[in-house]
Amino acid sequence: MDALPDSAPLDADAQRRLGWRCRRGLLENDLFVERFLQRYQATLTVGQARGLLVLMDLPDNDLLDLFLGRKELEGELDQAEVRHVLQLMRTPNKD
């Protein structure tokens, strides 16, 4: 992913691997991630995937706190691509 520009779309193989990497131990996190992937997986860019992977490196409880807005991104996590993905993940369904 690093050799491609941030705005390049992910290919189908990269989308599939990303979906597998996003599996979580807490059901609540899985619900956020699944909703996000259902909406955006087909149109994810390299930069968005990078931001998502940063979030997936967090422990489950820290990730859930971010999803629920109990905490905000700080330090090394406070990057534009991570903020963008987190904002998309926090957006509720419109239907």
Side-chain angles (χ1 to χ4, degrees):
M1 275 192 286
D2 292 323
L4 297 173
D6 286 350
S7 60
L10 286 183
D11 63 36
D13 187 49
Q15 290 176 19
R16 182 180 44 74
R17 282 182 284 144
L18 183 64
W20 182 255
R21 171 63 182 85
C22 289
R23 295 175 56 137
R24 304 303 300 187
L26 280 178
L27 173 62
E28 293 85 349
N29 285 340
D30 273 337
L31 294 174
F32 276 95
V33 172
E34 285 176 18
R35 180 182 68 198
F36 173 80
L37 291 176
Q38 286 174 351
R39 285 188 198 161
Y40 302 108
Q41 187 169 12
T43 60
L44 280 177
T45 65
V46 170
Q48 290 169 326
R50 192 177 301 117
L52 181 57
L53 289 173
V54 169
L55 290 172
M56 293 302 106
D57 284 340
L58 294 173
D60 280 331
N61 289 330
D62 293 341
L63 184 60
L64 185 59
D65 285 343
L66 287 171
F67 287 159
L68 296 175
R70 295 189 289 215
K71 291 186 179 178
E72 294 300 325
L73 296 170
E74 297 177 343
E76 292 180 13
L77 292 176
D78 193 8
Q79 306 167 25
E81 53 199 16
V82 179
R83 281 192 309 271
H84 176 69
V85 169
L86 182 58
Q87 178 186 11
L88 293 174
M89 294 183 99
R90 285 177 172 173
T91 304
N93 286 339
K94 293 182 173 113
D95 38 80

